[in-house]
Amino acid sequence: MGSNSSHTFAIKFGVRQGSVLSPFLFAIYLDDILTTRSLTPRSFIVLYADDILLIAPSINELQRLFQNCEKELEWLDMRINVKKSCCLRIGPRFNATCTSIITSDGHDLPWSVKCVTWAYILLQDEL
């Protein structure tokens, strides 16, 4: 109290994997992605548990959304796991060849061949 302060201590571990608190804290941390980044019409950022889904009407817009997320995560000392990430094109041109979405450190995000599971939902490239 007053001008007194407690002794400092090191935090040696974070929230336990699978904790009900994890998705809540993740959403609080990433709230700035949703509020400070200007989204174009038909672009969306969806947060679920510890996953991020970017929806964009074009490859260029998807690249821009991805870069914005990378910048925000970097500021929070977090990274996107490229090995657990992919792109999926949906619509009449689902099988058209797409340019790569490139991470800030030069990695290409792979394009999914047919479908991907996200947040227990199966997303397929054909409508």
Side-chain angles (χ1 to χ4, degrees):
M1 292 220 176
S3 63
N4 296 333
S5 59
S6 64
H7 297 285
T8 59
F9 60 94
I11 299 174
K12 297 182 180 177
F13 55 88
V15 177
R16 191 187 68 189
Q17 179 74 22
S19 167
V20 295
L21 195 53
S22 295
F24 180 71
L25 292 174
F26 183 75
I28 290 173
Y29 260 73
L30 295 183
D31 184 58
D32 286 345
I33 288 176
L34 301 174
T35 57
T36 62
R37 306 295 178 198
S38 60
L39 294 175
T40 60
R42 299 181 359 211
S43 293
F44 304 92
I45 299 174
V46 181
L47 301 177
Y48 178 80
D50 63 349
D51 293 327
I52 302 171
L53 174 65
L54 304 177
I55 301 172
S58 69
I59 306 297
N60 289 336
E61 179 61 15
L62 182 59
Q63 180 71 57
R64 190 183 74 78
L65 284 176
F66 185 80
Q67 288 171 338
N68 287 341
C69 285
E70 273 193 314
K71 287 176 189 172
E72 188 67 30
L73 290 169
E74 185 178 320
W75 188 82
L76 295 168
D77 200 26
M78 298 172 80
R79 304 269 181 278
I80 294 174
N81 186 341
V82 177
K83 293 179 184 175
K84 291 184 174 182
S85 302
C86 71
C87 301
L88 178 68
R89 188 169 190 167
I90 298 173
R93 297 180 57 216
F94 72 92
N95 58 353
T97 303
C98 299
T99 58
S100 296
I101 301 298
I102 301 169
T103 65
S104 59
D105 59 355
H107 291 95
D108 290 354
L109 290 182
W111 285 92
S112 176
V113 176
K114 289 288 177 193
C115 62
V116 64
T117 302
W118 178 80
Y120 304 105
I121 299 169
L122 180 65
L123 302 173
Q124 293 182 309
D125 58 5
E126 295 183 54
L127 292 176

